[in-house]
Amino acid sequence: MARLLALVGLARLAWAYGPFDPLQYVDPLIGASNGGNVFPGASLPYGMAKAVADTSSGSNQGGFTLDGAPVTGFSLMHDSGTGGSPSLGNFPLFAYTNCPDGDVDACVFPKKARARFGVFDNGSVTARPGEFSIALRSGIRASMTAAHRTALFKFTFPGTGPDGKPAQPLILQDLSDLSDSRQDNGTVSVDADTGRIRGSARFLPSFGSGSYVLHFCTDFAGADVLDSGIFANSRASTAVHNLTISRSINGYPLPGGAFVRFKSAAAPILARSGVSFVSVDQACANAEAEIPSFDYDQVVEAATAAWARKLSPIVVSTEGVDSSFVTNLYSGVYRTMVNPQNYTGENPLWTSAEPYFDSFYCLWDSFRSQIPFLTIVDPAAVTQMIRSLIDTYRHEGWLPDCRMSLCKGYTQGGSNADVILADAYLKGLKDGIDWDTGYQAVVKDAEVEPFDWSNEGRGGLDSWKTLGYIPVQDFDYKGFGTMTRSISRTLEYSYNDFCIAQMAARMGKTADADKYQRSSGHWANLYKADQPSQFWNGTDTGFVGFFQPRFLNKTWGYQNPLNCSNLDNYGVCSLQNTGPETFESSIWEYGFFVPHDQGALLRLYGGPAEFVRRLDYLHDRGITYIGNEPAFLTVFQYHYAGRPALSARRSHFYIPAYFSTEPAGLPGNDDSGAMGSFLAFAMIGLFPNPGQDVYLITPPYFESVNVTHPVTGRTARIRNVHFDPTYQAIYIQSATLDGVDYRKNWVDHSFFTEGKELVLTLGRNESSWGTRVEDLPPSLSPYTGFNGTYSSQATRMRRIRGYQASFEGYGVGRN
Ligand SMILES: *[C@@H]1O[C@H](CO)[C@@H](O)[C@H](O)[C@H]1NC(C)=O
Ligand SMILES: *[C@@H]1O[C@H](CO)[C@@H](O)[C@H](O)[C@H]1NC(C)=O
Ligand SMILES: *[C@@H]1O[C@H](CO)[C@@H](O)[C@H](O)[C@H]1NC(C)=O
Ligand SMILES: *[C@@H]1O[C@H](CO)[C@@H](O)[C@H](O)[C@H]1NC(C)=O
Ligand SMILES: *[C@@H]1O[C@H](CO)[C@@H](O)[C@H](O)[C@H]1NC(C)=O
Ligand SMILES: *[C@@H]1O[C@H](CO)[C@@H](O)[C@H](O)[C@H]1NC(C)=O
Ligand SMILES: *[C@@H]1O[C@H](CO)[C@@H](O)[C@H](O)[C@H]1NC(C)=O
Ligand SMILES: *[C@@H]1O[C@H](CO)[C@@H](O)[C@H](O)[C@H]1NC(C)=O
Ligand SMILES: *[C@@H]1O[C@H](CO)[C@@H](O)[C@H](O)[C@H]1NC(C)=O
Ligand SMILES: *[C@@H]1O[C@H](CO)[C@@H](O)[C@H](O)[C@H]1NC(C)=O
């Protein structure tokens, strides 16, 4: 019934939004098993309320999973695609058709125990943007939708309970969260007359420090209240209506919550739960304002319309293409807008007129393509996110590298908010962004070491400035953090400084630009030209010249360049104290992370042919792992060696083989839509080098792609001539940009803001298109070794100036 009504709603929308309905291609269940950890439930774009069925799976970071684990409840908030501990999942509801013999104490309340009533068949699950629905074997169907800070549930019950007696449904709501992090003195009360449940509790963030308090307010409609009460541990009573509960001394939060019973189940029972970080009263007010009438279908329709609007900028020609490619694209685009979450008006930490976004989880993941993708399809939202990041700096002293649930998240490498700010600045975002303060914030990352650099900024700044690298076993008495990752931190800090240099150059701060451009070259101090690489069995890879750890006294340490690669089954490579000198990836893969100076890297690796051979080895030997973000750019770095055809081939090597439209279809955690954005960029054929105004051109996976800029209203178009839906002809033979012959293998952001047209003529063989030195994307150092020709210093200067001039054209304001 719910579905039928919803479909009618969809038909009406198709009329309202034109003939192409992208939502038919969104499958939120992609990534719901096999560690994708996506949130497949109901949410608005960037919504705070996120309703889904939570399972007891060990991989329930996003709440729901399709891996045989039963449902434990239907909770109100979530993150999507994250690693770490499960996030949020607060204040779940659960329902029974009746309690045996009408005795509330005979119903099962604790989350762990009630899971046996949460068994379901995979086939009973439906998910689409704005709605999630599931039928439990108990006969209860739970459908859910969401407004911005309010979840709306619709429970449909069988006429009789398991005991054969008439339905007298009980709906409970408890004070737990997915990771059972509730602290002392959670409170809940239920109003005996209306059945309204109100409550609050303090929880821990899933990958960060501190704690947060969340409040909720639930009202019911659809049936008359029979009675209500609270439960503590496994016992319940209709005589008690208020509860304040301890975490208990056993470490496990003591089960506790409230319940309401209803006189009948003749009609579905609706539960409307508002949430707030500010107060219980605000949670109630949010619910009343956002869903005044309990009109489930109307809420679904509004959510559907919001998603249709957000996805409308991208229109692809679906003709001839297997529909799974279209589903991969739009599902990927959809996932880029689930996180970050818009908590504007819900931030109790400081008072400000600026927007507040949260669930930047983490910027280390999202700087690479997610936020840059949103800069194209939803620049107004990114503008608000940037303002929020800058406001967070204003009030907490630092830009975050990761942030969730109002708390500081852990820093994984560099201060990568610098990349995000530079990317947005170079691409012309300005409305209301205080770029002077934004610049102060990134300079503080480079200049001031925080006492606790696990949470913000950078560590080892004294060594960085005196030695020009982060030493292994650094001496650092000024700030404290996990003293590992010296190689990947050096590489990321170098790139962070380059991003600052670009902002400085554009702002006319010449001295700063020079200074940070110089330190952006520090990566080279860890390059050990005579370092070989052997497999653990002693077999040599045949490659020489790798990054290596370096001590304070400038002598070299050693890390096997293959350690922490996809082939390394033993390494522990995350934030552990015992971690190695690279974070979550190998020296082999980090060996390509010099996004600003590929010219220098090409020279170190022995010229373009050797660079390509090394990149091929990285991918063909399975050293890299496309399920983690450092791999993204390596797919397209052939462009810098003058071989754009090989980037296209590599993109098809991974898609769809590693990205299918099954629930198990993601190669790793979606990481708040990072994987989704990788798919989206790769499939539209323009991949960013994030932090620079550069998109690398490969043929789209569709005959044509239109991207309408939501602010300028201009439509950028990419069209493949001789398009081949079997993807044999994926090599660009020639191209025109706005009708003029175009041989550069990259474009800048004006392509989108000005709505240009790129026409690519494809063939089955690699061509000379985009292969000349003058066709290559910008690099700090000149490109050398291209058939013995060396680009002169003059060419180099032109290129750098071109670099800076390339974003003059479309109205970047100074403020
Ligand atoms: C469906 O259910 C089975 C058993 O409950 C489970 O093992 C399987 O992985 C589920 N998911 C999918 C996508 O089939
Ligand atoms: C919880 O409540 C008890 C009883 O009022 C009080 O003694 C205790 O300090 C409270 N704990 C916290 C963390 O507020
Ligand atoms: C129970 O809680 C409600 C709302 O929080 C409050 O108004 C009421 O006074 C409380 N009742 C008792 C008995 O503490
Ligand atoms: C893209 O836009 C062009 C011109 O604006 C239009 O002719 C074409 O049909 C559009 N392509 C798709 C796939 O809608
Ligand atoms: C974020 O929420 C605020 C307050 O509701 C709203 O004004 C703003 O438009 C939202 N931003 C986005 C990108 O949805
Ligand atoms: C060593 O390991 C590599 C990579 O797995 C393999 O290709 C090679 O054949 C192995 N060599 C020996 C002697 O086992
Ligand atoms: C440099 O420091 C490392 C690590 O402390 C030490 O093992 C090595 O012997 C030192 N080398 C020299 C030449 O001082
Ligand atoms: C690298 O990995 C191998 C195999 O897992 C391990 O034995 C070795 O200790 C690691 N360490 C270094 C420094 O390469
Ligand atoms: C494409 O390359 C193949 C060999 O890889 C060659 O046989 C064929 O003739 C080439 N086609 C064209 C049009 O150059
Ligand atoms: C060098 O020139 C040859 C023939 O002129 C060409 O096939 C090759 O692609 C060129 N290589 C590079 C790296 O430019």
Side-chain angles (χ1 to χ4, degrees):
M1 183 64 173
R3 265 195 74 70
L4 263 181
L5 284 171
L7 287 174
V8 172
L10 266 182
R12 220 177 309 154
L13 281 165
W15 176 81
Y17 290 95
F20 184 76
D21 169 26
L23 297 193
Q24 68 183 296
Y25 295 108
V26 176
D27 184 351
L29 291 168
I30 296 173
S33 68
N34 192 35
N37 293 0
V38 300
F39 164 75
S43 170
L44 286 179
Y46 319 115
M48 173 164 155
K50 294 194 195 300
V52 83
D54 296 324
T55 73
S56 62
S57 166
S59 190
N60 65 354
Q61 276 84 348
F64 184 70
T65 55
L66 268 174
D67 56 7
V71 169
T72 57
F74 308 96
S75 70
L76 313 183
M77 291 184 47
H78 290 87
D79 274 309
S80 188
T82 63
S85 306
S87 236
L88 302 163
N90 319 77
F91 306 131
L93 298 123
F94 200 73
Y96 295 103
T97 303
N98 60 21
C99 298
D101 301 321
D103 174 10
V104 292
D105 227 11
C107 268
V108 178
F109 291 89
K111 188 166 72 175
K112 281 183 180 166
R114 72 191 181 223
R116 72 188 145 97
F117 300 96
V119 177
F120 65 97
D121 298 320
N122 294 350
S124 80
V125 178
T126 61
R128 59 192 191 82
E131 192 189 23
F132 179 93
S133 183
I134 186 170
L136 305 182
R137 289 221 189 117
S138 65
I140 298 169
R141 175 167 283 279
S143 302
M144 53 214 77
T145 182
H148 192 63
R149 304 174 193 90
T150 312
L152 184 63
F153 301 87
K154 180 168 67 176
F155 295 100
T156 312
F157 296 90
T160 52
D163 56 3
K165 297 196 177 139
Q168 232 170 30
L170 178 146
I171 299 180
L172 67 89
Q173 187 161 24
D174 78 21
L175 296 175
S176 72
D177 66 337
L178 276 170
S179 65
D180 292 325
S181 76
R182 193 192 73 232
Q183 303 295 294
D184 259 352
N185 297 3
T187 63
V188 67
S189 67
V190 53
D191 186 291
D193 300 324
T194 63
R196 170 175 275 194
I197 303 176
R198 296 154 47 101
S200 310
R202 180 178 296 277
F203 301 97
L204 304 183
S206 54
F207 187 68
S209 40
S211 65
Y212 68 96
V213 176
L214 186 67
H215 312 274
F216 74 95
C217 176
T218 302
D219 292 295
F220 298 93
D224 291 334
V225 171
L226 172 66
D227 55 14
S228 60
I230 57 98
F231 68 93
N233 213 341
S234 59
R235 300 286 80 150
S237 165
T238 55
V240 185
H241 286 80
N242 288 20
L243 171 71
T244 296
I245 191 168
S246 152
R247 176 168 171 79
S248 99
I249 53 168
N250 301 331
Y252 177 72
L254 208 54
F259 64 88
V260 178
R261 279 202 299 179
F262 300 90
K263 289 181 179 161
S264 89
I269 297 178
L270 292 145
R272 180 190 71 185
S273 275
V275 284
S276 173
F277 286 108
V278 173
S279 65
V280 179
D281 286 342
Q282 186 154 320
C284 296
N286 286 342
E288 287 161 2
E290 293 179 349
I291 308 184
S293 69
F294 289 83
D295 185 337
Y296 183 86
D297 295 325
Q298 195 182 59
V299 178
V300 171
E301 199 172 314
T304 308
W307 280 110
R309 247 191 328 273
K310 287 292 182 189
L311 268 51
S312 65
I314 297 193
V315 178
V316 301
S317 156
T318 59
E319 212 175 305
V321 171
D322 188 305
S323 71
S324 68
F325 286 93
V326 192
T327 300
N328 245 334
L329 171 74
Y330 284 106
S331 303
V333 174
Y334 168 80
R335 297 201 303 274
T336 65
M337 300 184 192
V338 177
N339 271 11
Q341 302 184 19
N342 184 357
Y343 293 172
T344 304
E346 287 294 339
N347 175 8
L349 300 177
W350 61 79
T351 306
S352 160
E354 288 296 278
Y356 179 74
F357 276 70
D358 200 287
S359 288
F360 290 106
Y361 199 166
C362 295
L363 297 185
W364 184 87
D365 304 287
S366 52
F367 86 81
R368 299 165 203 268
S369 54
Q370 189 205 356
I371 308 286
F373 183 76
L374 295 177
T375 297
I376 296 170
V377 297
D378 200 357
V382 177
T383 299
Q384 293 179 24
M385 291 174 200
I386 300 285
R387 286 171 58 176
S388 171
L389 289 172
I390 293 173
D391 209 40
T392 301
Y393 158 76
R394 226 177 252 128
H395 291 93
E396 302 225 310
W398 299 93
L399 293 166
D401 190 55
C402 195
R403 192 169 176 87
M404 78 285 302
S405 316
L406 303 165
C407 293
K408 293 177 178 181
Y410 299 128
T411 300
Q412 287 160 278
S415 48
N416 289 312
D418 307 348
V419 184
I420 288 178
L421 262 60
D423 194 83
Y425 185 67
L426 299 182
K427 291 173 182 172
L429 297 195
K430 54 181 173 183
D431 296 324
I433 302 178
D434 174 358
W435 278 118
D436 286 336
T437 305
Y439 184 71
Q440 265 175 33
V442 298
V443 166
K444 186 174 181 188
D445 281 339
E447 297 299 331
V448 183
E449 180 165 327
F451 185 71
D452 178 1
W453 49 264
S454 298
N455 281 312
E456 53 216 356
R458 310 183 195 171
L461 280 185
D462 279 0
S463 296
W464 174 254
K465 284 169 183 289
T466 55
L467 294 170
Y469 57 89
I470 298 298
V472 61
Q473 294 167 24
D474 195 11
F475 174 58
D476 185 357
Y477 60 93
K478 293 187 174 164
F480 301 89
T482 308
M483 290 277 228
T484 56
R485 303 158 287 143
S486 63
I487 295 176
S488 49
R489 282 167 53 214
T490 296
L491 294 170
E492 291 188 17
Y493 294 176
S494 300
Y495 190 54
N496 298 155
D497 277 357
F498 176 75
C499 289
I500 299 172
Q502 287 183 106
M503 290 179 75
R506 179 64 188 82
M507 290 175 172
K509 302 176 196 289
T510 321
D512 278 13
D514 287 350
K515 172 182 172 183
Y516 292 115
Q517 181 162 319
R518 264 195 310 279
S519 53
S520 82
H522 283 0
W523 60 272
N525 294 328
L526 293 189
Y527 183 73
K528 189 160 181 283
D530 61 356
Q531 177 63 49
S533 159
Q534 280 138 14
F535 287 96
W536 301 282
N537 62 13
T539 300
D540 203 280
T541 60
F543 291 88
V544 180
F546 289 90
F547 292 119
Q548 281 294 296
R550 219 170 162 183
F551 293 107
L552 275 161
N553 63 13
K554 301 194 179 173
T555 63
W556 294 102
Y558 172 69
Q559 179 173 315
N560 184 329
L562 285 164
N563 278 26
C564 303
S565 74
N566 195 36
L567 302 175
D568 176 4
N569 297 321
Y570 303 101
V572 174
C573 302
S574 194
L575 286 178
Q576 299 85 355
N577 282 325
T578 54
E581 302 313 317
T582 49
F583 181 75
E584 286 190 358
S585 188
S586 60
I587 287 174
W588 256 88
E589 185 168 83
Y590 277 110
F592 290 93
F593 191 71
V594 187
H596 51 308
D597 204 350
Q598 294 285 289
L601 199 66
L602 274 152
R603 185 168 45 76
L604 288 179
Y605 286 174
E610 278 299 293
F611 182 93
V612 164
R613 199 168 72 85
R614 194 182 279 236
L615 208 40
D616 277 344
Y617 198 86
L618 175 83
H619 290 289
D620 290 335
R621 300 298 295 247
I623 296 169
T624 193
Y625 166 51
I626 199 66
N628 207 13
E629 288 71 16
F632 288 2
L633 192 58
T634 67
V635 173
F636 299 93
Q637 272 173 274
Y638 296 99
H639 273 68
Y640 289 90
R643 303 290 299 279
L646 300 184
S647 298
R649 189 195 290 170
R650 195 57 73 185
S651 169
H652 286 276
F653 173 84
Y654 285 116
I655 304 170
Y658 291 77
F659 296 87
S660 83
T661 54
E662 298 299 306
L666 294 185
N669 304 157
D670 193 47
D671 286 322
S672 297
M675 295 289 141
S677 64
F678 172 79
L679 273 170
F681 266 130
M683 296 184 86
I684 69 171
L686 290 173
F687 204 87
N689 186 339
Q692 301 174 45
D693 191 2
V694 169
Y695 299 93
L696 309 171
I697 304 169
T698 50
Y701 283 54
F702 312 95
E703 180 162 31
S704 73
V705 176
N706 288 1
V707 184
T708 301
H709 194 272
V711 177
T712 66
R714 304 259 179 87
T715 296
R717 191 166 189 221
I718 315 168
R719 197 152 56 81
N720 285 321
V721 176
H722 303 320
F723 174 65
D724 170 13
T726 68
Y727 304 120
Q728 304 298 305
I730 52 167
Y731 304 114
I732 298 170
Q733 309 296 303
S734 64
T736 62
L737 184 65
D738 283 345
V740 178
D741 183 48
Y742 192 73
R743 297 193 58 181
K744 286 188 197 305
N745 63 30
W746 60 285
V747 292
D748 65 28
H749 192 62
S750 67
F751 180 75
F752 294 106
T753 49
E754 294 175 13
K756 298 182 182 175
E757 186 183 41
L758 194 56
V759 177
L760 310 174
T761 300
L762 308 187
R764 288 175 169 247
N765 288 2
E766 186 171 1
S767 79
S768 63
W769 179 86
T771 61
R772 302 169 309 169
V773 166
E774 57 265 44
D775 301 335
L776 308 185
S779 159
L780 268 183
S781 305
Y783 291 100
T784 59
F786 283 75
N787 280 344
T789 60
Y790 290 75
S791 79
S792 66
Q793 185 64 10
T795 313
R796 177 189 171 220
M797 288 320 294
R798 263 202 309 281
R799 182 166 303 109
I800 291 172
R801 273 202 300 277
Y803 214 120
Q804 292 171 2
S806 69
F807 48 84
E808 298 285 355
Y810 44 93
V812 182
R814 279 189 188 243
N815 229 316

